[in-house]
Every structure is written in structure tokens, then in C-alpha cells.
Amino acid sequence: MTDRSKSPPSSTARRSGGIDWMRHAVLLIAVILFVVAVVVRQSETAAGGQFFGAACFRIGLVFAAVWLAWDSLRRPARWFPPVALMAGLGVLAAIAAQPRLALVMIPAAGAIVAIGAVVRGMRQG
């Protein structure tokens, strides 16, 4: 009789002593970037200093968002088709480069997602 209460450790789990140290590192980086942004923005009056301070603040916001969503990032949504993610990233990149492409890229991304769903359904069925 096997003991099912003990599960093997997950290969994706990176825990040290029960503490997820990578999540804490992301929070630490976010806090450091926020502090650097505040210090640089208050000490520098040149345009370069303002740019650097704003960049640190924006990157700190991204790290803070990753810290908040850490548990969701560790287990991806299985219902979300991977082709939709790739199409969405492609559309965002194209629209960032040329906003007028939104009229063409959004329907194209919809077609790509539909084709991907059909292909995924054929593979599973």
C-alpha cells in the first residue's frame, strides 16, 4: 500500500526553508527601484536625471506587478490558448510601432487565435 499523502517535490518549486526567495527578491528589486527613482528625481534637475528617475519608477511598477501576480505566474492558465498569448504580444508590438496598424492587426490576431483553436481541437480530438 502506498502513502499518497507524501507527494514528490515539484521541479518548478524553488523554495528554501518554506520561503519563496525569488518572490522576495522581486519585491526587493521593486522597492530599490522606487527608492532610486525618488532619490534621482529629487536630486537631479537635468533632463537625463528625470528620464532615469521615471524609467526606474516604471520598471519598479512592473516588478511590483510581478510580485503581486507571482502565484498566478507559477501556474499558467490551462484554459488560455498559447497562440492567443503570442498573437496578443504580436499585436501589441505592431500597435506600439505604428498605431494605425490596429485596424488590420486586431482582426488578423482574431483569425490567428481562431485557427489556433481549431488546430488545438484537432490535436486533442
Side-chain angles (χ1 to χ4, degrees), residues 73-94:
L73 294 174
R74 291 195 47 184
R75 47 182 162 69
R78 297 200 183 271
W79 55 268
F80 198 73
V83 72
L85 177 64
M86 297 309 295
L89 288 174
V91 167
L92 284 176

Side-chain angles (χ1 to χ4, degrees), residues 7-94:
S7 61
S10 174
S11 62
T12 59
R14 296 174 191 223
R15 297 190 179 265
S16 172
I19 299 174
D20 196 356
W21 63 271
M22 289 181 67
R23 184 174 188 201
H24 293 297
V26 168
L27 178 62
L28 180 66
I29 291 170
V31 169
I32 289 171
L33 285 169
F34 286 141
V35 169
V36 168
V38 169
V39 169
V40 168
R41 294 274 302 203
Q42 294 208 355
S43 65
E44 284 287 327
T45 57
Q50 290 179 351
F51 177 77
F52 182 71
C56 285
F57 184 75
R58 288 178 182 156
I59 295 170
L61 282 176
V62 171
F63 272 95
V66 168
W67 177 75
L68 284 173
W70 189 264
D71 291 334
S72 298
L73 294 174
R74 291 195 47 184
R75 47 182 162 69
R78 297 200 183 271
W79 55 268
F80 198 73
V83 72
L85 177 64
M86 297 309 295
L89 288 174
V91 167
L92 284 176

Side-chain angles (χ1 to χ4, degrees), residues 104-118:
V104 176
M105 292 301 292
I106 292 174
I112 290 172
V113 169
I115 292 169
V118 169

